[in-house]
Amino acid sequence: MRCVDYIARFFEQHGVVHIFGYPGGMVTHLMDALHDHAETLMMHIALNEQGAGFAACGYAQYSGECAVVFATSGPGAVNLLSAICNAYCDSLPLIIITGQVNTFESKEGLAVRQRGFQETDIISMARPVTKAAYYVKDPHEVPRVLSDSYLIATTGRMGPVLIDIPMDVQKAEISEEMCPAREVESAPSLQNEVMNPRSAQVVKESLRIAKRPVVVFGAGVRQSQAAKELETFLRSTRIPAVSSMLAIDILPDYENYLGFLGAYGDRVANFVVAKADLILLVGSRADIRQVGKMREQFASGARMLRVDIDLGELEYRVHEDEVSIRADARIFLAYMDELLEGWQCPREWIEICRSIEGSLRAWSPKSMPNAFIERLSKLVPADWAITTDVGQNQVWCAQSFELKAGQRMLFSGGFGAMGYSLPAAIGAHYASGESVLCITGDGGMQMNIQELGYIGFHELPIHIVVLDNKALGMIRHFQEMYFEERYVGTTSATGYSPANFEAIASAYGIKAGSIDVADEVPAWFVSGQGPTLLHVSIDDPTYVLPKLEYGKPNQDQEPLIDRTLYDYLMSL
């Protein structure tokens, strides 16, 4: 068989159904082989390689399963780099196959920039942002590389793996008997690390003596398929919990869930963490947006216990004396629920958390965009996924969208890629089989606006909200705060101009309309099976509040609350 036939069969045998990509000369053999398996392998041909890559990310993020994306050599492969970085930063299992020029055209060993047309060293570019990157010169190495790539992408801390295959290798004939693929092994068990008597006893005893414990959980809980274990652990112990932004959809209906923490997070979550005497941090990497510039100021009065599958994250400490436990979140949470034997959080601490929550309610006024997002959320069925872009629209969604139990909200987190929401919605649709609400801003929409063509042509049930404040709002706000209102490239007066989104959507065959941010959402937008686009006009300058000024502790966000109230809350 041809190498590409083996590749198609490998994905088929490993349960891959949806493959994203864009055509190109160096992947024509691969596409031909995938076409031969069209009954089991569905190719989704985007309008740009970045769009294909983000669609694959959306698929992996929603499903937790390995996604596959392909592109040709040179510009095609390079256009995938943003999606590869996104998968790497957000730990998404992704296999990327790039075509490469024939081996006899390669510049390998020559001091030239390029020998073959569209020849580019994608391996060197991608290696820092992949778990592994392979250039395959020998066709008989393809089975081994595929097997290893699948294992690497889907185990441990998941992430992207790139396989660069020259065109002559793709079409080469191989014998399966000459190169049998190794069986994909199971992930190395981290159970022994979790069951370590010393680390387990430290967690148990720390919780038993704590008077003000808080659980901080992140997206790693979702990626380790530990949502049920987290729910069982929290409901049995009643410990107050806060999340990272990426994890707000894991347990929104837990009675003692107090929101997401960090620079743009909930005031309540930030204050509760500041008042805790014990932080159990599970599956969250504690980055600067979560804990602030001065890491030692984060929960400065608390003992910190950190659980993560990635040793590198544990070595990047928040507190010098914190306890690090390298473990799979699912195994850890299940074991701790058993170990604690009916222990519950002190009732007095829960009452203090409620007091903080009540005191701060008046300091959380809703802006017009926040109010619109809240109204919109009430109309969206629980089985719809929500994708967001990066910028003010993302934070408004995190702050004000009232998630239903089981509902998913997808972000580009660590990488923070504008243009993520629209193609990610395509991937989320294929992963869920349901409608998707895509929320984006006028800036992010124009990053991958071409994927309206894919959505319109295939009549996907994707419902797009474009929050249009006619500016790059978050950067404009920075310029206002730190550059004496010298706006550069962020407003209509300084070179930035959004498009007529309603007209563009109509040109792609998508039903579209426009409203003001104060208006009610029209019924046609969320009804029906086909795609829709709603352009929401926002005339006033927009802000994301509360917002942390760089260098301040998390609980002291802008606009500053009354100092008497602040002192009172800190004294509790």
Side-chain angles (χ1 to χ4, degrees):
M1 68 179 75
R2 294 176 299 171
C3 271
V4 288
D5 296 319
Y6 182 90
I7 292 170
R9 197 177 71 173
F10 177 90
F11 288 137
E12 186 179 66
Q13 291 174 343
H14 286 79
V16 174
V17 176
H18 302 280
I19 297 179
F20 303 87
Y22 191 87
M26 297 299 111
V27 287
T28 50
H29 290 277
L30 175 63
M31 295 176 65
D32 182 67
L34 294 175
H35 180 70
D36 286 342
H37 292 255
E39 291 186 2
T40 53
L41 296 175
M42 297 178 61
M43 271 190 293
H44 304 295
I45 305 301
L47 278 80
N48 181 276
E49 292 89 356
Q50 186 182 108
F54 282 155
C57 286
Y59 183 91
Q61 193 173 22
Y62 184 94
S63 68
E65 299 171 357
C66 188
V68 178
V69 63
F70 65 85
T72 193
S73 62
V78 172
N79 278 348
L80 283 176
L81 279 174
S82 289
I84 294 171
C85 290
N86 184 79
Y88 186 71
C89 292
D90 285 354
S91 307
L92 305 178
L94 196 64
I95 291 179
I96 307 101
I97 295 181
T98 52
Q100 188 54 271
V101 300
N102 295 303
T103 55
F104 54 80
E105 296 178 284
S106 171
K107 68 172 184 177
E108 188 175 18
L110 297 176
V112 296
R113 295 187 179 185
Q114 186 185 51
R115 187 180 175 200
F117 173 66
Q118 292 188 332
E119 181 184 13
T120 305
D121 184 4
I122 191 64
I123 294 295
S124 295
M125 295 181 188
R127 185 171 281 122
V129 289
T130 54
K131 290 187 72 177
Y134 299 96
Y135 173 66
V136 186
K137 293 191 293 184
D138 181 351
H140 294 94
E141 285 291 295
V142 167
R144 178 191 64 81
V145 169
L146 274 173
S147 181
D148 288 354
S149 297
Y150 190 88
L151 176 65
I152 292 168
T154 58
T155 59
R157 184 176 181 180
M158 297 182 289
V161 177
L162 186 142
I163 310 172
D164 193 37
I165 312 177
M167 189 175 186
D168 56 336
V169 173
Q170 292 180 45
K171 64 182 181 181
E173 295 284 335
I174 62 173
S175 167
E176 187 174 4
E177 289 72 25
M178 291 175 63
C179 51
R182 294 205 300 267
E183 290 293 324
V184 175
E185 303 167 0
S186 60
S189 175
L190 292 168
Q191 187 167 352
N192 290 336
E193 179 71 27
V194 176
M195 300 300 185
N196 180 292
R198 291 182 61 187
S199 60
Q201 194 66 24
V202 166
V203 177
K204 176 182 177 180
E205 293 306 317
S206 296
L207 283 171
R208 285 190 178 279
I209 64 175
K211 295 181 179 180
R212 300 181 175 203
V214 173
V215 171
V216 177
F217 61 89
V221 170
R222 173 81 66 189
Q223 289 155 349
S224 63
Q225 300 180 355
K228 288 185 178 179
E229 286 75 9
L230 176 68
E231 181 175 8
T232 299
F233 174 72
L234 289 177
R235 293 195 188 281
S236 63
T237 61
R238 301 192 68 220
I239 302 177
V242 303
S243 71
S244 68
M245 183 187 285
L246 266 69
I248 62 172
D249 61 355
I250 291 180
L251 204 57
D253 61 339
Y254 172 51
E255 62 178 351
N256 290 332
Y257 174 66
L258 299 169
F260 74 100
L261 81 167
Y264 294 102
D266 295 299
R267 290 187 190 272
V268 176
N270 286 326
F271 262 98
V272 166
V273 167
K275 297 302 299 177
D277 66 1
L278 177 72
I279 301 292
L280 177 58
L281 192 70
V282 183
S284 182
R285 60 192 177 86
D287 74 338
I288 195 168
R289 287 290 182 95
Q290 294 173 346
V291 304
K293 174 189 175 184
M294 309 299 292
R295 293 173 72 80
E296 66 275 9
Q297 289 185 5
F298 178 75
S300 58
R303 187 176 195 192
M304 186 165 294
L305 312 176
R306 289 184 65 188
V307 181
D308 203 289
I309 202 169
D310 188 337
L311 182 60
E313 297 293 353
L314 294 174
E315 290 174 343
Y316 181 35
R317 293 178 173 272
V318 179
H319 295 173
E320 285 303 315
D321 61 348
E322 67 191 30
V323 176
S324 299
I325 302 171
R326 188 183 184 194
D328 178 276
R330 184 168 58 86
I331 298 172
F332 170 81
L333 288 167
Y335 181 58
M336 290 311 303
D337 185 56
E338 175 185 331
L339 190 66
L340 287 170
E341 300 175 350
W343 172 87
Q344 286 195 334
C345 177
R347 183 177 299 175
E348 294 80 4
W349 171 230
I350 296 174
E351 291 174 355
I352 289 174
C353 292
R354 295 292 179 219
S355 177
I356 293 172
E357 186 176 32
S359 298
L360 290 173
R361 188 173 294 119
W363 286 92
S364 300
K366 290 183 171 61
S367 68
M368 292 294 284
N370 284 105
F372 175 81
I373 292 296
E374 183 179 307
R375 295 198 307 274
L376 175 64
S377 69
K378 299 179 187 301
L379 304 176
V380 178
D383 58 359
W384 285 25
I386 301 98
T387 63
T388 77
D389 225 286
V390 170
Q392 292 181 329
N393 70 90
Q394 178 189 49
V395 183
W396 291 328
C397 288
Q399 291 175 337
S400 299
F401 197 100
E402 296 181 357
L403 288 162
K404 303 169 179 67
Q407 197 166 45
R408 297 293 309 280
M409 180 172 283
L410 310 185
F411 302 103
S412 172
F415 190 56
M418 290 178 68
Y420 183 71
S421 185
L422 189 64
I426 296 171
H429 163 68
Y430 287 120
S432 67
E434 302 291 344
S435 296
V436 177
L437 176 66
C438 165
I439 299 177
T440 184
D442 50 284
M445 182 64 177
Q446 294 180 100
M447 289 283 189
N448 276 305
I449 197 169
Q450 76 284 340
E451 300 310 328
L452 287 174
Y454 183 93
I455 292 169
F457 180 82
H458 294 280
E459 299 183 337
L460 300 186
I462 293 176
H463 306 276
I464 305 153
V465 171
V466 183
L467 296 172
D468 183 4
N469 60 1
K470 304 169 186 62
L472 299 178
M474 192 164 278
I475 307 305
R476 183 201 58 77
H477 191 190
F478 288 169
Q479 291 169 338
E480 181 178 304
M481 292 178 64
Y482 304 118
F483 298 96
E484 298 178 349
E485 300 185 12
R486 292 193 298 274
Y487 303 125
V488 180
T490 55
T491 65
S492 58
T494 61
Y496 174 78
S497 178
N500 184 331
F501 297 107
E502 183 178 352
I504 292 173
S506 298
Y508 280 116
I510 296 173
K511 184 176 181 178
S514 295
I515 63 170
D516 185 80
V517 70
D519 296 337
E520 295 297 321
V521 178
W524 60 263
F525 174 68
V526 292
S527 61
Q529 296 301 309
T532 56
L533 182 144
L534 185 64
H535 169 244
V536 182
S537 181
I538 307 170
D539 293 328
D540 298 326
T542 55
Y543 302 93
V544 172
L545 297 171
K547 178 187 185 300
L548 185 66
E549 184 177 333
Y550 194 67
K552 284 191 173 183
N554 275 12
Q555 71 274 14
D556 203 13
Q557 294 166 290
E558 302 282 340
L560 299 178
I561 67 171
D562 178 81
R563 293 294 90 181
T564 301
L565 175 60
Y566 180 89
D567 293 339
Y568 165 72
L569 294 177
M570 292 301 294
S571 71
L572 290 175

